[in-house]
Amino acid sequence: MAAHAEGHDDNYTEDGTVDLKGNPVLRSKSGGWKACSFVIVYEVFERMAYHGISSNLVLYLTKKLHQGTVTSSNNVTNWVGTVWMTPILGAYVADAHLGRYWTFVIASAIYLSGMSLLTLAVSVPGLRPPHCTDPDTANCKKASTLQLAVLYSALYTLAIGTGGTKPNISTIGADQFDDYEPKEKAHKLSFFNWWMFSIFFGTLFAFTFLVYIQVNLGWTLGYGLPTVGLAISILIFLAGTPFYRHRVPSGSPFTRMARVIVAALRKWRVPIPTDPKELYELDLEEYTKKGKFRIDSTPTLRFLNKASVKTGSTSPWMLCSTTQVEETKQMLRMIPILVATFVPSTMLAQINTLFVKQGTTLDRNIGSFEIPSASLATFVTLSMLVCIVIYDRYFVRTVSRWTKNPRGISLLQRMGIGLSIHIVIMLVASLTERHRLSVAKSHGLVENGGQVPLSIFILLPQFVLMGTADAFLEVAKIEFFYDQAPESMKSLGTSCAMTTLGMGNFISSVLLSTVARVTKEHGHHGWILNNLNASHLDYYYAFFSVLNFFNLIFFLVVAKFYVYKAEVSDSMEVLRKGLDGGGQKT
């Protein structure tokens, strides 16, 4: 258990949060859903802006810059991968130096400048090649080095900006609830469900309204609106400043963890005392006066306890407090779970790449209206929105009475359900693609790559299932890495959830290039070609299904041995007693 000081004024928060000037904050005048409302509305507009760019980027690269299927898909996944990897840097800056608020504000300015430059890049005719009507992009004039440099400079400036906003905005939201107040703790358990709801509400607007504008009214307006939306979202966030609770930066998390590992290695011959009280630890007052928490020693990853064995040296690279050791353990224990989320993140990368390209080969007309292929991702959003509401309002309340868990089921159980659904998704996608190819062959459309006489809605099941999987996996993932991270490393923990998406996109790029190359060796036709009617995406998706199956087995093994960290307060126990007394109180 984490230790905390007694005797706090009940009117003030007890979790170490302060106002922007570093003063203690009153519960009644800060935090809670009042402060979170600004954060959540920000996220709606920001997600609209981001997905307004990313959802249709593969079509801009193919239709305007004349890139091939593999090249455009890899350029998108490499960029999206970078977007989701840079949060590690943003989390470090926030936890170690500037704090979450100021890191977010500075990163937002960088983000907005990248969006503005991107809008300029798609608006100026001289920054893209001449229009080409040839269906084979290989015969069209390619973008010049200057044109690509401007576009990629904008995209990667944007990526740097999101590195500071993504890991901190959700953490700022979760920080608005005090773990030591049971009612606020109960609201915090629902926060990440509604956080993801806001994300996908903004995404819904992007996949419908913005995608339609880009395809039918032009890329200038289609990218200009997300830029304006981002500017509005930043102003909304700043308007909530008087109500936010903040955490004080506590130094580099990487340095603290490195010291533990180095100290343990340097004392690898030193025996560990049988009594944990003989290990080095600071007085409780040292933590409480800094608004921090003391953590008792645990038997897991016992080798690291050597870092707290007293040998005479007081060097921070030779002697670490028990709390510092336990914080390091908490981060290291999450690594196997982190690895298990890479594969499903690779599946998510298909939504904005191959799934979109598939849609362009199908009949997208409803009467005189043509559906943009990227808009089918709307059903991922709708499915997730519905599932989140059902999960939070009904599933949790029903199941928690049986499990006595205020969350209904554990975070890892929720993630496991999502991972299982991913296997089904890729099986369905493979069978659907197999059907599409058979129709293309029967109508003589293999060689010319013509439109297949099938409705785009045959792809609907894989999109709906993806949203259902997200409601389980993605929500649980971000809550897991936030909840299980040490109190002083919450931004870093949240960035881990985003790192999985980055790794998934990079893995997607590697797999796509490797499979495309290997399957064309020795005179074979190849699985992934510019002409999807002559490709074999059904084999590729079946391969993903097998990959998901083995990943699920790996996850079940590492989840079985995972040890949850101790709660810093007794709020969860209070909520459990509420369940025993006849229902969860929120």
Side-chain angles (χ1 to χ4, degrees), residues 90 93-104 168 247-249 491:
V93 173
D95 283 341
H97 301 291
L98 299 181
R100 288 158 198 163
Y101 179 86
W102 289 114
T103 302
F104 175 86
N168 291 305
R247 289 192 181 275
V248 179
S491 291

Side-chain angles (χ1 to χ4, degrees), residues 47-57 206 210-211 214 222-223 226:
R47 289 294 83 189
M48 176 201 75
Y50 171 74
H51 285 288
I53 301 299
S54 65
S55 61
N56 231 9
L57 183 58
L210 291 179
V211 165
Q214 290 163 3
Y223 276 17

Side-chain angles (χ1 to χ4, degrees), residues 47-126:
R47 289 294 83 189
M48 176 201 75
Y50 171 74
H51 285 288
I53 301 299
S54 65
S55 61
N56 231 9
L57 183 58
V58 69
L59 293 187
Y60 182 82
L61 295 180
T62 53
K63 293 184 179 297
K64 296 299 181 180
L65 299 190
H66 312 144
Q67 296 181 357
T69 298
V70 174
T71 301
S72 60
S73 295
N74 281 348
N75 282 333
V76 170
T77 50
N78 285 337
W79 171 68
V80 173
T82 304
V83 165
W84 291 111
M85 291 297 287
T86 52
I88 296 177
L89 177 61
Y92 165 77
V93 173
D95 283 341
H97 301 291
L98 299 181
R100 288 158 198 163
Y101 179 86
W102 289 114
T103 302
F104 175 86
V105 170
I106 294 170
S108 293
I110 299 172
Y111 190 175
L112 185 59
S113 65
M115 289 284 287
S116 302
L117 180 58
L118 184 60
T119 302
L120 182 68
V122 303
S123 303
V124 178

Side-chain angles (χ1 to χ4, degrees), residues 9 80 104 112 131 162 188 200 349 391 399 402 428 432 537 555:
D9 189 329
V80 173
F104 175 86
L112 185 59
H131 180 66
T162 60
K188 191 172 189 174
F200 281 85
Y391 187 92
V399 175
W402 175 56
V428 169
T432 302
L537 287 183
F555 173 81

Side-chain angles (χ1 to χ4, degrees), residues 168-291:
N168 291 305
I169 187 63
S170 59
T171 313
I172 289 171
D175 285 345
Q176 305 312 307
F177 301 100
D178 186 353
D179 281 337
Y180 284 86
E181 210 288 313
K183 186 175 180 180
E184 288 199 14
K185 179 66 175 181
H187 290 317
K188 191 172 189 174
L189 297 182
S190 290
F191 168 74
F192 286 102
N193 286 326
W194 296 106
W195 173 255
M196 293 300 289
F197 186 94
S198 71
I199 286 178
F200 281 85
F201 192 79
T203 303
L204 178 63
F205 186 84
F207 284 150
T208 51
F209 185 67
L210 291 179
V211 165
Y212 177 81
I213 287 177
Q214 290 163 3
V215 173
N216 295 282
L217 300 180
W219 296 92
T220 300
L221 183 60
Y223 276 17
L225 286 175
T227 303
V228 172
L230 179 64
I232 292 172
S233 72
I234 295 170
L235 292 175
I236 290 170
F237 173 82
L238 293 175
T241 298
F243 306 105
Y244 298 143
R245 299 172 184 173
H246 306 271
R247 289 192 181 275
V248 179
S250 53
S252 169
F254 298 112
T255 300
R256 293 205 303 278
M257 290 189 289
R259 284 172 174 169
V260 170
I261 295 170
V262 170
L265 290 172
R266 292 175 72 178
K267 293 188 285 187
W268 67 280
R269 292 178 181 271
V270 177
I272 300 173
T274 54
D275 185 358
K277 293 181 180 179
E278 294 182 27
L279 298 173
Y280 173 68
E281 181 57 288
L282 301 176
D283 292 334
L284 180 58
E285 290 73 19
E286 290 290 321
Y287 292 103
T288 55
K289 72 182 181 182
K290 297 178 182 178

Side-chain angles (χ1 to χ4, degrees), residues 557-578:
V557 172
V558 297
K560 180 178 176 60
F561 292 100
Y562 184 79
V563 179
Y564 286 91
K565 76 166 192 175
E567 293 287 339
V568 298
S569 73
D570 62 353
S571 293
M572 286 293 282
E573 191 59 37
V574 171
L575 293 175
R576 287 191 183 94
K577 289 178 180 178

